[in-house]
Amino acid sequence: MEAGQLLLKSGLLNNAQLMSIREPNGTTSTVLEKAVEMGFVREDDALIAVGKEVGLDFVDLTKEVVDLELLEVFPQKLIYRQNLFPIKRDHDSVVVATSDPYDLYPLDEAGEQMGVHIQPVLAEKREIAKLIKEHLGVGGETIEGLIEARTDDGIELLDDIEIDGSELSEMAQEASVIRLVNEILLEAIDSKASDVHIESQSNGISIRYRIDGILHPQPVPPEINQFQAAIISRLKIMSRLNIAEKRLPQDGRIKLKVKGREIDVRLSVIPMIHGEGLVMRILDKGSMTFDLRALGMAQRTYDVFKDLIRLPYGIILVTGPTGSGKTTTLYSSLLEINSPDTKIITTEDPVEYQLDGINQIQVHPKIGLTFAASLRSILRHDPDVVLVGEIRDFETAENAIQASLTGHLVFSTLHTNDASSAYTRAVDMGVESYLVASTVEAVMAQRLVRKLCPNCKTEFDPKKRDMPSDFPWDDYNDEPMFDPNPEGCRECRGVGYSGRMGVYELLVTTDEVRELATARKSAWDIKQSAVKSGMKTLRDDSWLKAIAGNTSLQEVTRLTKSDGGMGH
C-alpha cells in the first residue's frame, strides 16, 4: 500500500494533511518525509506503521550495541549517500538500518559488494545520522570516509596540471578533495551521465547528473559544503583554468583515462549569485559507436537517407534542439560514406569526437577562425564532402550554399523544431529563397526518446485507456503497449528507462517543396506538402516506436507536439 494511504489507514494522518503533502510527481518516500517534516506524524510511529505493512522491523538505535568492525567492510559510499548504517551480524547475515522502507536497492548493492545477505531494519533518520557522525567523524574525516578507500582511483589525468602555490590551490590538492572529485566523476561515468551539474545554492552545494536527458539529483552529505571552494578549485586546476578568477565565465577541458577508456570532459564555470556553478559535459570516447543503421531510423527512412548522403553535391541539414543527437547522426553519416577515394573535411565547435580518416578543424572565433572563415579555406583543400558544425549566421549559410553550388556535398545543423522550418530559417538569415530551394536536398529533424527498460516495463491495453486524440489507430496492431515501471529495477537504477533512441522526420526536397520554398511559403505549407508525399513526422515516428514497445506514451507526449490533424 502507498505510504500516504497507509498512514491514513493507521490514523496517523487525516485527509486534509495527506492532500497538503501530496506532490503530483512525488514518490512514496517523499510523502513519508513530508509528513514527518511538517510535524503531522512522529518518524518512529510512521516507520513502525509502514514496517508492519512491508514486513520490516523498527529498531531504536539508542538501545542498540553497534559492531564497529562492520564499518571496515561496509561500502562507506552507501553510508553517506543512502543514509545506511550496519549494526550487527546475525548468523550469516548483516543487519543494516535504513530510514527509507521504499528504497531497498542500495541494501542489495551493499550485500553484493560484501558477499553477504543483508537484513534491513527501519530506524529514525536522525539517529542514523548521529551514528555516522559519532563513528566516522565530521569535516575532513567525513570526506575521507565518504569515498571508499581505493588503492587505485581508476582515474588518470592525461594532461599535466599547474598549481600556483596559493592556499586555495593547496587545499584543492589535498588527497581527500582529489578522491572526492574523482568519485563524483567516476559515479557520473558509471551512471552513463552526459552532464554533471555542480551548483552553489544558499544552503550549500548540489550535484545533479543528466542521464538519458533527465536531471537526477545526487544525495550529498552536508559536511561536503565546507569543501565547496576546494572542489571547484580542483576541477578548475584539472581543466587549467584561473582559480583566482571568480567573476567571469571560464571554459576548459579535462582529458582523463578511466579503466583504460579515454574520457573527454568539457567544463564550463559561470559565476552565480551564491558562488560558481559548474557544468561538465562528459564525452566517453570508448563507449561511442557511430553506426547509422543502429540509430533507430525506420527502414524506409534509412533507405532514403543512405542514398541522400551519397549525392555528389547539395546540402543536407540535420535539425533539432541541443542534445537531440544531431552530431551522432552526422558523424555516423560521414563514417558510412568515408573511403580512401573521398576527402572529408569538417569544421566544428567543438570537435566532440575524433574520427579516423576524416580531417577535422576546431573553430576559434576569438582569433577569427569562424565557421564561415574556415569553410572558405576548406574549399581550397579540394574536399568532396564538407561538414559545417552549425549554420548560425548569413555568412556561414552563404558559404555553405556556394560550396554546394561548386560541386561539394555539405552537411550541417540548424536549431529548428521541425524539418520544414529549416527552409524558412535560412531565408530569415538573409539567403535568397531560390538559393535555399535549389541547394537544400533534404532536412532531417530529430529528437531522442528514452527507451523503456526491457527488464521491468509493464504492459497495458491502449483500448482500455484514454489515449491522445492523435493516436494512430490505423498503425496499431492489437499488441499490448508498455509503461515504465514507476519503481524501476536494479538494471535501470530505479528509473524505468535505459538508454535512448532517435526519432526522425526526413523531409526530401521534392519539386513541389522547391516551388513552395522559392515562393517563401510558410513552414506549415511545406510540411503539408511533405506529408502528402509520404513523410512521417516526428510525432508519427514516436508513435510507431511506442507501439513497437520501445518507448512510452509519456515520452511521445513529452518530446513531440501533435501535428494538429494533418492528414496522411
Side-chain angles (χ1 to χ4, degrees):
M1 189 186 291
E2 186 262 336
Q5 292 299 327
L6 210 149
L7 296 176
L8 198 64
K9 180 185 155 193
S10 312
L12 295 171
L13 281 185
N14 60 41
N15 273 313
Q17 290 171 329
L18 183 57
M19 292 304 290
S20 69
I21 58 174
R22 270 241 168 92
E23 290 173 6
N25 301 319
T27 61
T28 45
S29 305
T30 53
V31 168
L32 202 62
E33 275 177 23
K34 273 268 171 70
V36 173
E37 195 178 294
M38 294 180 78
F40 294 153
V41 61
R42 279 178 37 178
E43 189 179 10
D44 54 351
D45 289 341
L47 289 173
I48 288 166
V50 171
K52 277 180 187 163
E53 181 73 17
V54 297
L56 293 179
D57 291 335
F58 174 83
V59 296
D60 181 351
L61 289 182
T62 58
K63 295 175 181 163
E64 288 288 331
V65 178
V66 176
D67 180 354
L68 293 177
E69 282 181 11
L70 287 171
L71 288 175
E72 302 291 324
V73 288
F74 195 85
Q76 295 208 342
K77 177 172 77 172
L78 296 173
I79 292 179
Y80 282 95
R81 292 196 181 167
Q82 307 295 344
N83 210 43
L84 305 178
F85 204 89
I87 301 173
K88 60 188 176 188
R89 290 186 188 275
D90 186 2
H91 302 299
D92 57 348
S93 61
V94 171
V95 178
V96 178
T98 176
S99 58
D100 189 347
Y102 291 101
D103 184 13
L104 301 179
Y105 289 115
L107 293 158
D108 293 348
E109 193 179 332
E112 259 182 32
Q113 286 191 36
M114 293 170 70
V116 296
H117 174 68
I118 298 290
Q119 187 185 324
V121 291
L122 298 178
E124 288 184 63
K125 195 173 188 173
R126 62 165 185 250
E127 294 301 337
I128 296 175
K130 264 190 207 166
L131 279 180
I132 293 172
K133 280 186 184 169
E134 190 181 325
H135 297 294
L136 292 167
V138 291
E141 294 80 20
T142 302
I143 296 300
E144 289 281 2
L146 172 68
I147 305 106
E148 287 180 70
R150 297 170 184 239
T151 48
D152 172 20
D153 272 329
I155 283 194
E156 178 193 340
L157 268 173
L158 296 181
D159 285 337
D160 292 334
I161 59 172
E162 295 167 10
I163 52 172
D164 58 11
S166 67
E167 188 184 343
L168 199 54
S169 77
E170 292 296 329
M171 196 173 160
Q173 292 305 102
E174 285 180 12
S176 56
V177 175
I178 289 173
R179 288 220 305 275
L180 173 59
V181 168
N182 285 357
E183 184 65 33
I184 291 169
L185 287 167
L186 276 171
E187 184 79 8
I189 292 160
D190 287 347
S191 306
K192 296 186 171 60
S194 60
D195 303 85
V196 179
H197 294 241
I198 300 178
E199 293 151 332
S200 302
Q201 312 283 359
S202 58
N203 57 348
I205 201 168
S206 90
I207 298 176
R208 295 188 287 174
Y209 294 157
R210 190 177 292 282
I211 302 167
D212 291 338
I214 304 290
L215 280 171
H216 295 270
Q218 300 302 304
V220 287
E223 288 80 18
I224 277 189
N225 293 331
Q226 60 185 293
F227 289 82
Q228 182 174 330
I231 291 165
I232 291 171
S233 297
R234 169 65 186 165
L235 285 163
K236 282 183 169 179
I237 287 168
M238 287 168 80
S239 45
R240 307 169 77 86
L241 299 180
N242 178 359
I243 65 168
E245 180 55 80
K246 296 180 180 180
R247 300 161 305 165
L248 292 172
Q250 296 186 73
D251 292 310
R253 174 177 181 171
I254 308 168
K255 286 183 175 177
L256 302 172
K257 205 166 212 175
V258 178
K259 298 168 188 165
R261 296 206 315 263
E262 274 196 35
I263 309 278
D264 218 349
V265 180
R266 298 192 191 284
L267 180 91
S268 174
V269 190
I270 298 182
M272 306 277 186
I273 193 164
H274 295 296
E276 289 171 295
L278 272 78
V279 175
M280 290 181 280
R281 163 65 54 92
I282 296 172
L283 302 170
D284 185 349
K285 297 174 181 180
S287 73
M288 275 307 290
T289 48
F290 298 108
D291 177 359
L292 198 59
R293 192 68 205 94
L295 295 181
M297 288 181 201
Q299 187 62 46
R300 182 171 168 272
T301 305
Y302 172 74
D303 290 341
V304 175
F305 192 66
K306 76 175 170 47
D307 290 341
L308 286 164
I309 63 176
R310 289 172 169 82
L311 288 172
Y313 53 84
I315 297 177
I316 291 170
L317 296 173
V318 178
T319 80
T322 305
S324 58
K326 299 187 297 293
T327 304
T328 304
T329 299
L330 287 171
Y331 278 2
S332 302
S333 303
L334 293 183
L335 289 174
E336 176 111 347
I337 59 173
N338 188 27
S339 67
D341 57 2
T342 304
K343 175 149 183 170
I344 302 174
I345 307 182
T346 76
T347 173
E348 304 169 62
D349 182 21
V351 172
E352 292 196 4
Y353 294 95
Q354 290 163 26
L355 306 174
D356 288 338
I358 290 171
N359 306 281
Q360 293 169 280
I361 298 169
Q362 167 78 53
V363 303
H364 287 286
K366 284 180 187 167
I367 57 167
L369 185 61
T370 59
F371 281 129
S374 58
L375 187 49
R376 282 196 298 273
S377 302
I378 283 171
L379 297 181
R380 296 186 200 117
H381 274 241
D382 184 31
D384 301 294
V385 178
V386 177
L387 164 66
V388 184
E390 187 187 337
I391 294 178
R392 294 176 183 166
D393 51 36
F394 168 69
E395 198 184 356
T396 311
E398 190 181 40
N399 285 347
I401 282 170
Q402 284 306 318
S404 74
L405 290 172
T406 51
H408 302 88
L409 181 60
V410 181
F411 290 93
S412 193
T413 70
L414 268 181
H415 283 281
T416 64
N417 286 325
D418 60 5
S420 56
S421 304
Y423 301 88
T424 50
R425 174 65 55 85
V427 172
D428 290 343
M429 284 178 185
V431 181
E432 291 291 347
S433 59
Y434 72 89
L435 284 174
V436 176
S438 60
T439 54
V440 175
E441 294 296 334
V443 185
M444 172 83 91
Q446 68 178 78
R447 296 287 186 282
L448 290 176
V449 293
R450 290 186 292 168
K451 290 195 288 189
L452 286 164
C453 171
N455 199 50
C456 67
K457 60 185 182 181
T458 57
E459 286 187 12
F460 76 89
D461 183 349
K463 289 175 182 168
K464 294 179 182 170
R465 187 184 279 194
D466 185 15
M467 300 295 280
S469 58
D470 68 327
F471 181 76
W473 291 105
D474 292 349
D475 294 316
Y476 176 59
N477 52 11
D478 278 341
E479 293 284 319
M481 284 174 63
F482 294 89
D483 275 333
N485 185 328
E487 300 296 320
C489 66
R490 186 185 293 161
E491 302 294 315
C492 61
R493 293 175 176 247
V495 180
Y497 294 94
S498 179
R500 288 188 290 177
M501 71 189 304
V503 292
Y504 300 93
E505 171 178 298
L506 178 58
L507 198 167
V508 180
T509 314
T510 59
D511 289 342
E512 188 178 345
V513 167
R514 284 194 208 283
E515 283 171 26
L516 292 168
T518 305
R520 297 186 173 221
K521 293 292 185 187
S522 70
W524 174 253
D525 290 331
I526 292 172
K527 187 172 191 170
Q528 278 190 307
S529 167
V531 167
K532 276 184 207 145
S533 303
M535 179 183 84
K536 290 281 186 197
T537 64
L538 283 168
R539 182 77 160 192
D540 297 333
D541 197 29
S542 305
W543 277 131
L544 292 174
K545 284 175 170 123
I547 288 167
N550 295 319
T551 191
S552 69
L553 194 67
Q554 296 91 319
E555 282 292 281
V556 174
T557 50
R558 181 176 76 88
L559 280 161
T560 61
K561 271 169 66 175
S562 166
D563 294 313
M566 190 173 278
H568 288 276

